[in-house]
Amino acid sequence: MSTMSYASIWNETLQKIQESNYFDTHTFNSWISKTTLFKIEDNIAYVAYRSTITFSILKKQKEKELFESTLSEVWGDTLTIQYIHQREMEKMMPEEVVKQRTDVLLENKFNPSYTFENFVEGNSNAEAYAACLACCTQTTSHLFNPLMLYGNSGLGKTHLLHAMGNYLAKEHPECKVIYMYSGDLVSLLIEAMKTKNVHGNTVERVKEQLLDCDYFLIDDIQNLQQHSSSQEIFFTVYNQLIQKNTQIIITSDMHPSEISGLQSRLISRFVSGLTISISKPEFETSKAILKKKIEGREEGVNMSEDVIDYLAGKYSNDVRNLEGTLNRLIFNATLFNPDVIDMDFARKVLIKEPIVSQSDELTIKKIKKAVTRFYGLSYKDLEGKCRQKFIANARHICVYLSRDLLHKSYVSIGQELGGRDHTTISSSYERAKKLIQKDEAFKTAVEKIRSTLDS
């Protein structure tokens, strides 16, 4: 009998007792509901309690008879209950405790609001989106294993993992999916290792449970870096998962090679499949995210386009921060009920935010920051030698605004853009002026970036 079955049996027992109205609601919710059935052995049911108050209620003869008769009815055979404190139970039955915690962690608790349908694609995340969706549709042959997604927090990595879980549950319910946060995995393995001296097979049992899946999704793998023992166990689990053709998807806030303390053999395996970077969303993606969030609200939200542009330009570094700022505006709108959330209202609400401060002097560095946010680039991209069109356009805009707003020399602008010479910067400025005249998208990008600097 598995621990999960014990949990189901006890839940049914408690439900019957609750329906009998023997205990008042407060007593039941505060004390009775927090008991646990750990094991049934030789017709003895071991029930753990956490509080002495709970025990004082349960040990009374009439109450004990009620629990024994109800549990026996659910179980299908006569049982005697033995009450024991949770701490003592954990000492007596460490394997059962570890298994119970493992079962709970391995329950698929995917957030139903995180789906592929409501994930907003853009240049910053399109590759990651496509790879995750492909992994879900290719359930038998896995072309990219493992799939490694990395990037700063708040950019959608966890959303994609939950989207995979939700998609597979709907389209391929026959596939077993395990999703774990790496911090929980570390805690689980440490707990299993603690019982190893007395019960040498506890770690092996945990490994067996981890291996019983078709998809293994692990979030924030960087948390393994300081736990060498956990890395050893995970290394074995990882290799066995690959051997049995389980699709592994891993996320991290940095490239595996940059995770200090992570074993080199793990790094080499993580990058052996497909490694994809998710960068901060560019302006248009941030704007699309905001509009989708606004459309999804039950209450009607009337927000002016310039406020949406403002938020997309200022808060695109972190999608969570972007959404949080939107929620703050909407919450204040419910309090003060303006006809429309316009820039005046937004400034009043966000005036205490450091990012809205207008006291600092405009510099080339701030122009670079605004440009990289708009395009979802890094400073390294802007200052590097890549000639992809959207990166080149970003440089042209940076040069143009530095010249137009700050009247900086071509030499000083070039120094801020990777040490480029003044003739290159001069050509870039002239190119930007021409694009403004003939390329409407380029002109719009310049105007939107300029508006974030003026705000």
Side-chain angles (χ1 to χ4, degrees):
M1 177 68 66
S2 71
T3 306
M4 289 302 291
S5 297
Y6 289 137
S8 299
I9 290 167
W10 192 241
N11 285 337
E12 186 176 344
T13 302
L14 290 180
Q15 184 177 350
K16 287 179 177 292
I17 290 173
Q18 185 180 26
E19 291 171 352
S20 72
N21 295 318
Y22 184 88
F23 299 100
D24 62 75
T25 302
H26 174 74
T27 299
F28 184 87
N29 291 336
S30 299
W31 313 110
I32 307 303
S33 66
K34 293 179 171 57
T35 54
T36 307
L37 174 63
F38 264 86
K39 195 172 186 178
I40 297 176
E41 191 172 65
D42 298 329
N43 283 50
I44 298 175
Y46 295 88
V47 175
Y49 63 90
R50 298 178 183 276
S51 167
T52 54
I53 296 176
T54 304
F55 181 60
S56 68
I57 296 171
L58 297 177
K59 71 177 182 179
K60 297 175 183 177
Q61 186 62 31
K62 192 173 180 181
E63 281 74 3
K64 186 177 182 185
E65 289 176 358
L66 172 64
F67 274 89
E68 286 182 339
S69 62
T70 307
L71 178 58
S72 297
E73 178 188 343
V74 174
W75 177 253
D77 197 1
T78 303
L79 295 172
T80 301
I81 290 179
Q82 180 173 325
Y83 295 117
I84 188 166
H85 196 281
Q86 182 81 18
R87 288 194 299 270
E88 295 303 313
M89 180 62 71
E90 291 179 359
K91 290 178 183 178
M92 290 173 56
M93 307 169 70
E95 289 182 59
E96 292 297 335
V97 173
V98 172
K99 188 176 188 304
Q100 182 188 53
R101 290 175 182 168
T102 307
D103 286 335
V104 171
L105 286 174
L106 296 185
E107 288 180 18
N108 288 335
K109 301 173 182 176
F110 295 109
N111 188 330
S113 63
Y114 288 165
T115 65
F116 284 122
E117 288 76 18
N118 63 22
F119 185 84
V120 179
E121 289 184 78
N123 291 333
S124 60
N125 57 34
E127 192 179 4
Y129 174 90
C132 288
L133 187 57
C135 285
C136 290
T137 56
Q138 299 167 355
T139 56
T140 55
S141 60
H142 304 302
L143 300 179
F144 310 111
N145 203 9
L147 171 60
M148 178 90 192
L149 309 179
Y150 71 96
N152 291 336
S153 61
L155 299 181
K157 301 186 299 297
T158 299
H159 185 137
L160 285 172
L161 291 187
H162 282 258
M164 294 182 73
N166 288 320
Y167 179 93
L168 289 165
K170 181 180 178 181
E171 302 295 334
H172 299 284
E174 73 281 2
C175 291
K176 184 169 183 180
V177 184
I178 289 179
Y179 166 81
M180 294 195 76
Y181 173 67
S182 64
D184 291 335
L185 176 62
V186 169
S187 299
L188 178 65
L189 295 178
I190 289 175
E191 188 69 29
M193 286 184 284
K194 282 181 181 178
T195 65
K196 187 175 181 180
N197 292 335
V198 181
H199 301 270
N201 60 351
T202 305
V203 172
E204 291 304 316
R205 286 192 179 183
V206 170
K207 286 165 64 175
E208 287 175 8
Q209 288 177 278
L210 295 175
L211 289 169
D212 184 23
C213 63
D214 301 292
Y215 285 80
F216 190 88
L217 320 180
I218 183 164
D219 212 354
D220 285 341
I221 197 67
Q222 70 274 1
N223 290 306
L224 278 178
Q225 59 184 322
Q226 299 301 326
H227 303 275
S228 57
S229 298
S230 297
Q231 289 187 43
E232 292 291 336
I233 299 173
F234 182 72
F235 178 77
T236 303
V237 171
Y238 175 92
N239 284 338
Q240 293 179 5
L241 286 170
I242 292 292
Q243 289 172 9
K244 67 189 291 288
N245 196 37
T246 294
Q247 174 68 62
I248 301 174
I249 300 92
I250 304 169
T251 74
S252 173
D253 62 4
M254 63 189 79
H255 191 278
S257 63
E258 298 174 339
I259 304 176
S260 61
L262 195 64
Q263 295 177 2
S264 58
R265 59 180 182 171
L266 276 175
I267 294 173
S268 66
R269 280 161 176 76
F270 291 165
V271 299
S272 64
L274 178 62
T275 304
I276 297 176
S277 168
I278 299 182
S279 56
K280 56 189 178 182
E282 69 281 8
F283 175 84
E284 293 300 336
T285 302
S286 296
K287 190 171 178 178
I289 291 171
L290 290 169
K291 289 194 170 184
K292 184 174 281 289
K293 292 294 178 181
I294 292 171
E295 290 169 1
R297 309 286 299 203
E298 291 184 3
E299 68 274 23
V301 177
N302 189 7
M303 183 175 292
S304 66
E305 195 75 12
D306 57 344
V307 173
I308 297 175
D309 287 350
Y310 176 79
L311 297 180
K314 285 286 187 180
Y315 297 90
S316 60
N317 273 358
D318 185 325
V319 175
R320 293 193 188 105
N321 190 27
L322 182 70
E323 294 176 359
T325 306
L326 173 66
N327 289 335
R328 185 177 171 191
L329 280 178
I330 293 173
F331 171 73
N332 277 271
T334 62
L335 293 178
F336 300 105
N337 197 28
D339 293 331
V340 62
I341 302 175
D342 57 17
M343 280 304 302
D344 287 339
F345 182 84
R347 286 195 181 96
K348 289 175 183 176
V349 173
L350 304 175
I351 192 66
K352 295 181 181 179
E353 294 283 344
I355 199 164
V356 183
S357 173
Q358 301 177 40
S359 59
D360 297 333
E361 182 183 356
L362 183 62
T363 62
I364 295 178
K365 185 175 181 180
K366 289 180 181 177
I367 291 174
K368 286 168 61 178
K369 186 175 183 180
V371 171
T372 54
R373 277 183 174 173
F374 184 90
Y375 281 100
L377 301 173
S378 66
Y379 287 145
K380 185 177 180 181
D381 293 327
L382 198 65
E383 297 166 4
K385 297 181 179 180
C386 180
R387 295 184 179 181
Q388 287 183 329
K389 183 179 178 181
F390 76 101
I391 294 179
N393 283 349
R395 289 195 200 104
H396 295 327
I397 292 175
C398 190
V399 170
Y400 177 81
L401 292 176
S402 297
R403 184 74 172 172
D404 197 53
L405 297 178
L406 301 177
H407 309 291
K408 293 290 185 179
S409 68
Y410 292 137
V411 172
S412 60
I413 297 172
Q415 289 173 345
E416 292 282 351
L417 287 175
R420 285 174 164 79
D421 62 60
H422 71 282
T423 55
T424 300
I425 300 301
S426 174
S427 298
S428 180
Y429 178 71
E430 294 301 324
R431 174 64 175 162
K433 288 200 298 182
K434 290 179 181 178
L435 286 171
I436 289 172
Q437 296 298 320
K438 66 178 185 179
D439 188 329
E440 192 62 32
F442 185 88
K443 179 182 178 182
T444 301
V446 173
E447 291 172 350
K448 290 186 180 299
I449 293 171
R450 186 196 290 269
S451 70
T452 65
L453 296 169
D454 293 338
S455 300

